[in-house]
Amino acid sequence: MNWSLFSTKSAAVLLSCAFFAGGCATSVERVEVDKTIDLSGAWNDTDSQLVSAEMMQDVLARAWLEDFTRDKKRQPAVIVGEVRNLSHEHINVNTFVSDLERAMINSNRVQFVASSTERQEIREERKDQDLNAAEATRKPMGEEKGADFMLKGTINTIIDASGKTQLRFYQVDLTLISLADNRKVWVGQKKIKKLVERSKLTY
Amino acid sequence: MPQNPMSALRMPGRMESLPARHGRFFVRLAALACVLVLSGCATYSSSFAKIEQQLAGQQYDDALKTIEEKSKSKTERVLYLLDKGMVLRMKRDFAASNESLEAAKQEMERLYAASVSENALSFVVNDATVSYAGDDYEQVLVHLYMALNYLELGERDEARVEALQVDIKLREIGEKIPESKFTEDALARYLTGMIYEELGEWSDAMIAYRKAYEAYKKYQDNFSVAMPDMLKHDLVRLAQREGLTDELAGYRKEFGMVPEKKKAVGTGPEGELVFVLNNGLAPIKREHVVGTFAPPPSVAVDTSRRPRRPAPPMRVIANTRETTAPPVLIHIALPYYESRPCHVSSARISVSGKQADTQLMEDIDAIARSSLSARMPAITARAVARAIAKGAIQESVDKAGQQGDDAGAKLIGSLLVRVAAVATERADTRSWLTLPANVQLARLTLPPGTYDVQMELLGSDGRVMATRVFPQVTIRKERKTYLTQHSVP
């Protein structure tokens, strides 16, 4: 066997690699909320904002709103139902749902009523008022506003992967369903496609 | 490891008196010594005995504290998160467990890119200097346990997310090493099928059950795990439901099942209890030393003399004449799996007069062993290459020493570099040690209501080893209620 296969120098270089891996202090940089920053290729804030931008613009421009206001002579009341995550990622759907809610309320053309989970807490409070609040400020029970439409939706994904390349396709569908007759009055859709190349080597 | 490296380092007075031209040479020595100190002397698995004891005594909080001591390690971060997640799960804190497992998953994803610097270091130190990203089967099982956590929390859609991720992971593994024995995880596929079925996605459930069926056929050949009866019933039931008459006839013929009038497992107005037994602990990697020392390169030598224990380096040096360099030390340490004792062979659950015994669904012990034996050629090749590199370093240090005329310095240098070579050569004994040795399942159809579930752990002779009652378990209509038990001997 020949032990001189490697020179002392090459051994020393390999060894010194070990000492470069020192730690650095944490650094923080503040960025604008609409700046696109993609890290892992997974669903992130930019995707959520893209979905809300598309949906907000679409939902207020469509005929259902005009039709309802004309027929009923009042603003429609909407309740948020379940937006099911059928994708392959744990996605927080609340971000774009509340963006959409805010846009619709602020347009002054649509009203929102509290969702089933929010309602429980409010009913508790009303029950408490019944016992403890002054007569003039007490809110009676049984006068809740019933919703006209329910907002429901799904997020679906299709993933295709080969080696280090991954194609991710997201489709978000939101639907407004009339509570009176089950009619779907509006369907909003946003598609997002990403090509993710994973690195095979790092320092 | 012995005190030798330490005592050799504690001789500053001797070193300072050496001539200045030895400076460069001592920088190199110091580098080696540093690596030695950094890498530590105990192997990963040997530090696990305390946690194992605490788990056996069900002192989960103490075990978590012990695990927390490992939180600083950069290269073992995945294992720290996996162990923490598993112990939190044993403690039945499923939400916190998922947080930890999700973090482990992200860390694994980050480590998909191999680190050049760590790999270069592993070439001269040992394999354990590379960040541990988890074996293939471990990467799949994270999803399985996260899905089980979500199911116990009643978050079915979140469990479905894990089911989809498992599919992506398994496709990736299958593409990477098509000839590997572990390209499909039967239990993960089966659980995926149950999740889809409960959500009413029949065709997806059928596809998952089919994949589980294919996987169990492979399990039968590779790990002698038989196809579970419940899967047979699921296949027949869903094939019937989907109107797949040919497939249905095929399954009935293969399983020897006669057509029944109507069987309502999980699909009728009744609910179902799914009991998961995580039995024992996965095998543990130990170190096996196969190298001793070789004389200078001119003389061939049998290196397999005394395979278990190398001669103490100190004595080797003392016996050699001072005029020649001490023999070049070759030291090769390889990992092997050791099964951990397991006294429980199965479990029986009893609910209001109904009983069900658990069936073996996944033999993690066998999967881990087969995974290591598939990797062994590569591990051995790396260890041999490293031995050559370390031999080269020893020789070059000897040569550098010969240029000087201080015999003492020469000896210290040669000695130090040999001690470092031997001490740094450790087998990579890292693995997810809180995994069970095997996973078993029992399913019981029950009318909706609240029950006290009694569980008995059975020994190999059918004797009851322990009992436990899960009070107030709610069974909902057309829903599955998941219950987990970890049994650590």
Side-chain angles (χ1 to χ4, degrees):
Chain A
M1 257 187 279
N2 179 12
W3 293 114
S4 322
L5 264 173
F6 302 92
S7 71
T8 318
K9 264 185 192 161
S10 64
V13 166
L14 281 172
L15 273 178
S16 60
C17 286
F19 304 105
F20 283 111
C24 300
T26 310
S27 82
V28 177
E29 181 200 353
R30 291 193 180 257
V31 290
E32 291 301 314
V33 285
D34 54 356
K35 190 179 172 190
T36 304
I37 303 173
D38 282 322
L39 298 174
S40 65
W43 180 271
N44 65 14
D45 65 309
T46 307
D47 299 296
S48 172
Q49 287 177 32
L50 282 174
V51 170
S52 20
E54 166 94 20
M55 298 289 184
M56 287 189 308
Q57 184 249 329
D58 195 59
V59 72
L60 293 171
R62 298 291 172 179
W64 70 276
L65 188 54
E66 291 278 315
D67 293 350
F68 186 92
T69 323
R70 195 180 52 237
D71 292 354
K72 299 276 160 69
K73 307 273 184 293
R74 64 177 172 88
Q75 293 178 348
V78 178
I79 185 166
V80 177
E82 192 189 10
V83 177
R84 277 191 77 193
N85 174 16
L86 300 177
S87 76
H88 73 285
E89 279 173 46
H90 297 286
I91 290 175
N92 186 349
V93 296
N94 294 334
T95 48
F96 62 81
V97 170
S98 43
D99 270 352
L100 191 64
E101 200 175 322
R102 195 198 67 224
M104 286 166 88
I105 294 171
N106 290 352
S107 74
N108 246 333
R109 292 156 71 193
V110 183
Q111 293 178 344
F112 264 83
V113 296
S115 72
S116 58
T117 41
E118 291 167 329
R119 273 197 307 255
Q120 289 312 317
E121 196 184 341
I122 297 171
R123 283 180 189 159
E124 291 282 312
E125 174 61 24
R126 210 177 285 134
K127 212 179 273 174
D128 188 73
Q129 279 193 3
D130 208 29
L131 269 175
N132 303 312
E135 188 68 52
T137 56
R138 187 184 300 153
K139 309 291 176 297
M141 299 201 201
E143 295 198 358
E144 290 178 12
K145 187 176 175 63
D148 302 301
F149 299 99
M150 184 181 257
L151 181 74
K152 286 179 71 67
T154 52
I155 303 184
N156 281 284
T157 45
I158 301 171
I159 300 284
D160 192 19
S162 175
K164 56 183 184 142
T165 314
Q166 216 180 44
L167 188 69
R168 295 171 177 235
F169 177 75
Y170 299 88
Q171 181 169 328
V172 183
D173 291 290
L174 290 179
T175 319
L176 267 185
I177 302 172
S178 163
L179 285 170
D181 51 11
N182 288 348
R183 259 184 321 122
K184 290 188 175 179
V185 295
W186 171 78
V187 178
Q189 194 172 68
K190 177 72 187 171
K191 294 174 180 169
I192 293 171
K193 197 167 173 174
K194 294 185 199 177
L195 189 65
V196 182
E197 291 275 350
R198 294 198 286 173
S199 159
K200 284 235 164 180
L201 289 175
T202 57
Y203 166 67
Chain B
M1 225 28 227
Q3 311 294 310
N4 310 350
M6 291 298 138
S7 53
L9 283 172
R10 265 186 239 119
M11 299 175 80
R14 188 86 188 88
M15 286 187 189
E16 276 155 18
S17 70
L18 292 170
R21 58 177 163 162
H22 287 305
R24 210 161 53 94
F25 159 65
F26 272 100
V27 167
R28 273 187 221 120
L29 276 187
L32 252 187
C34 278
V35 170
L36 160 68
V37 173
L38 284 175
S39 62
C41 285
T43 59
Y44 176 82
S45 66
S46 59
S47 64
F48 201 76
K50 191 173 167 195
I51 299 172
E52 202 176 320
Q53 243 171 32
Q54 286 162 333
L55 292 182
Q58 300 186 0
Q59 302 154 320
Y60 300 129
D61 288 318
D62 294 340
L64 281 171
K65 265 182 218 146
T66 317
I67 289 170
E68 211 54 45
E69 289 164 15
K70 297 174 188 283
S71 66
K72 294 281 187 297
S73 166
K74 256 181 86 178
T75 47
E76 276 120 44
R77 179 143 186 90
V78 166
L79 288 171
Y80 154 70
L81 291 166
L82 289 176
D83 284 333
K84 187 176 164 190
M86 194 55 114
V87 175
L88 281 167
R89 186 183 150 68
M90 293 176 184
K91 213 185 131 191
R92 306 190 70 76
D93 188 349
F94 300 111
S97 167
N98 269 347
E99 252 172 58
S100 185
L101 293 179
E102 180 69 37
K105 220 160 67 183
Q106 279 168 16
E107 187 71 7
M108 285 174 178
E109 182 64 23
R110 193 181 68 79
L111 293 172
Y112 174 84
S115 162
V116 177
S117 57
E118 284 179 356
N119 278 291
L121 187 62
S122 81
F123 187 68
V124 277
V125 183
N126 57 44
D127 276 356
T129 57
V130 179
S131 289
Y132 190 79
D135 208 328
D136 285 339
Y137 73 92
E138 291 169 343
Q139 296 198 352
V140 171
L141 289 174
V142 188
H143 296 289
L144 180 84
Y145 279 102
M146 281 191 73
L148 283 172
N149 281 345
Y150 281 123
L151 288 170
E152 273 204 50
L153 289 167
E155 296 173 21
R156 298 183 297 169
D157 277 353
E158 298 302 310
R160 189 182 180 282
V161 169
E162 293 302 325
L164 291 171
Q165 289 187 0
V166 143
D167 183 52
I168 295 172
K169 187 88 228 162
L170 286 170
R171 269 193 284 168
E172 186 190 311
I173 292 172
E175 196 184 60
K176 200 170 62 181
I177 8 174
E179 72 281 1
S180 154
K181 281 184 181 172
F182 183 80
T183 48
E184 273 297 342
D185 187 295
L187 178 57
R189 291 289 187 195
Y190 184 62
L191 187 73
T192 303
M194 288 206 288
I195 293 169
Y196 286 135
E197 195 182 348
E198 197 188 346
L199 291 166
E201 299 172 35
W202 314 110
S203 49
D204 284 336
M206 185 71 212
I207 292 164
Y209 285 144
R210 264 189 218 135
K211 283 187 172 158
Y213 165 77
E214 295 295 333
Y216 274 116
K217 274 186 171 170
K218 273 182 116 185
Y219 272 24
Q220 174 86 61
D221 296 342
N222 294 330
F223 313 124
S224 25
V225 173
M227 176 113 33
D229 289 334
M230 43 189 128
L231 174 61
K232 296 177 186 171
H233 288 290
D234 291 325
L235 279 167
V236 167
R237 186 183 60 251
L238 268 185
Q240 197 165 18
R241 190 192 166 94
E242 297 289 277
L244 306 162
T245 18
D246 289 351
E247 203 176 332
L248 175 66
Y251 289 138
R252 280 200 172 127
K253 201 174 152 208
E254 190 185 334
F255 305 145
M257 283 156 76
V258 278
E260 287 171 57
K261 275 274 170 284
K262 177 90 184 157
K263 199 151 166 55
V265 182
T267 51
E270 299 199 304
E272 194 177 23
L273 177 71
V274 182
F275 175 76
V276 186
L277 173 69
N278 295 279
N279 192 15
L281 285 174
I284 188 164
K285 277 182 198 157
R286 300 281 186 208
E287 186 182 75
H288 175 60
V289 174
V290 285
T292 48
F293 60 88
S298 52
V299 187
V301 80
D302 175 20
T303 53
S304 61
R305 194 181 70 99
R306 274 202 206 172
R308 280 280 163 163
R309 204 156 277 280
M314 290 299 278
R315 231 178 50 214
V316 175
I317 304 302
N319 290 345
T320 40
R321 284 169 295 144
E322 287 211 343
T323 44
T324 53
V328 168
L329 282 175
I330 306 176
H331 189 84
I332 295 177
L334 296 173
Y336 68 97
Y337 262 126
E338 182 185 283
S339 290
R340 287 192 268 185
C342 185
H343 313 299
V344 173
S345 66
S346 68
R348 178 180 298 147
I349 47 166
S350 327
V351 187
S352 62
K354 279 178 125 178
Q355 274 190 347
D357 280 6
T358 54
Q359 265 190 304
L360 180 64
M361 302 297 282
E362 180 117 320
D363 190 347
I364 296 174
D365 191 282
I367 292 172
R369 282 166 179 282
S370 104
S371 165
L372 182 65
S373 56
R375 275 159 202 272
M376 222 42 218
I379 294 173
T380 314
R382 274 202 305 276
V384 170
R386 205 159 38 229
I388 293 171
K390 286 179 182 176
I393 295 172
Q394 292 174 31
E395 216 188 36
S396 57
V397 168
D398 295 343
K399 222 181 277 171
Q402 272 157 21
Q403 287 157 12
D405 32 54
D406 190 333
K410 191 168 84 184
L411 191 63
I412 289 169
S414 299
L415 163 70
L416 206 58
V417 78
R418 275 159 182 74
V419 168
V422 173
T424 53
E425 184 56 37
R426 305 307 306 239
D428 182 2
T429 59
R430 295 174 297 176
S431 63
W432 185 0
L433 289 168
T434 41
L435 272 178
N438 59 62
V439 184
Q440 306 184 12
L441 224 63
R443 291 169 70 175
L444 206 55
T445 315
L446 292 164
T450 307
Y451 303 91
D452 287 347
V453 178
Q454 200 198 5
M455 184 236 14
E456 292 167 327
L457 293 175
L458 306 174
S460 51
D461 50 356
R463 212 157 36 87
V464 177
M465 315 266 300
T467 53
R468 179 176 174 184
V469 176
F470 295 89
Q472 305 288 309
V473 176
T474 311
I475 304 287
R476 290 193 191 84
K477 187 179 143 196
E478 287 174 29
R479 289 280 295 262
K480 289 180 171 60
T481 302
Y482 288 79
L483 252 192
T484 295
Q485 169 72 31
H486 285 262
S487 153
V488 179

